[in-house]
Amino acid sequence: MTTIGIIGAGHIGSQVARKAVELGYDVVISNSRGPETLQDLVAELGPKARAATAAEAAAAGDFAVVTVPLKNYKDVPAEPLAGKVVIDTNNYYWERDGRIPALDKGEATTSGLLQEHLPQSKVAKGFNHIMARDITTDGSPAGAEGRRALATASDYPEAAELVTRLYDEFGFDTVNVGTLSESWRVERDRPAYIARQTAAELKDNLAKAPRTI
């Protein structure tokens, strides 16, 4: 069975871990404060999960989910993620992260910054425009009427395909935005952000997105 390395155990990371374990994945999860601080979460998740350092989670995962504050993205360990798909959940909250001029000017994207930091990995956008609580509760079977859709983007087709498969397992349709250079369309404060939407509605909202806010 596939192992997912999760770097970041906040709201999104914890919810992805819960759903992944429910689906039968093994999970190795980390945070910035050390594995010992994750004992309660791991106890809740059960025997298919264990806590580790970020480097250990990165090394253990067949693929990884990075869900750390954007201001800390350069702390993500690069070497153990080489050659792997990395799903980036991040959003730019300047109030938390400080101002990043390249993002303010529309010259970069959040996932593009992570891809630059992880040049040997295959970064894909994922789980960034859904409330954490909805990850475990809002999915529905394939083909269900009104099935919620989530977006992905990547410079690597195989990375986008992995996210598409994972979304489907979690109960969501996928809209592929294209390359990471287009992933701004689903970033914070755009029409697609947080909204519950079908694939058709998501495509419409992506098309309406302004480049800068």
Side-chain angles (χ1 to χ4, degrees):
M1 176 54 68
T2 301
T3 298
I4 306 177
I6 301 180
I7 300 172
H11 296 303
I12 295 288
S14 297
Q15 286 292 83
V16 169
R18 290 183 178 101
K19 189 65 178 181
V21 165
E22 177 188 320
L23 292 168
Y25 286 95
D26 292 315
V27 166
V28 181
I29 190 165
S30 66
N31 66 8
S32 61
R33 295 178 293 128
E36 65 279 0
T37 66
L38 295 171
Q39 292 177 354
D40 289 346
L41 176 61
V42 169
E44 174 201 333
L45 292 171
K48 295 191 74 64
R50 65 180 176 91
T53 66
E56 290 166 345
D62 295 297
F63 65 91
V65 177
V66 169
T67 179
V68 300
L70 181 63
K71 63 182 179 180
N72 298 331
Y73 79 92
K74 290 185 178 179
D75 295 334
V76 174
E79 184 176 352
L81 292 172
K84 297 181 181 182
V85 172
V86 176
I87 302 173
D88 173 45
T89 77
N90 227 321
N91 289 295
Y92 172 40
Y93 296 104
W94 59 264
E95 305 92 334
R96 174 197 66 191
D97 302 316
R99 287 290 185 181
I100 301 175
L103 295 178
D104 291 335
K105 296 175 183 177
E107 297 171 351
T109 66
T110 56
S111 294
L113 293 177
L114 184 63
Q115 181 67 80
E116 290 176 9
H117 174 64
L118 303 174
Q120 297 183 69
S121 301
K122 301 172 183 179
V123 173
K125 196 76 174 173
F127 294 108
N128 80 297
H129 66 114
I130 181 172
M131 296 293 289
R133 63 176 181 266
D134 294 342
I135 291 173
T136 57
T137 61
D138 218 20
S140 56
E145 184 176 356
R147 193 188 201 206
R148 186 169 182 171
L150 299 175
T152 191
S154 181
D155 296 342
Y156 299 91
E158 60 269 37
E161 289 168 7
L162 187 151
V163 175
T164 299
R165 291 196 302 272
L166 193 65
Y167 277 170
D168 187 55
E169 292 174 352
F170 276 46
F172 304 101
D173 286 339
T174 303
V175 174
N176 190 333
V177 181
T179 63
L180 292 180
S181 64
E182 291 294 305
S183 62
W184 57 268
R185 293 182 180 277
V186 74
E187 289 179 350
R188 177 192 178 186
D189 294 335
R190 272 74 173 185
Y193 188 69
I194 300 301
R196 193 195 190 289
Q197 54 214 313
T198 64
E201 291 166 339
L202 176 52
K203 290 175 183 177
D204 288 342
N205 282 332
L206 292 168
K208 292 186 291 188
R211 182 64 183 91
T212 56
I213 300 291

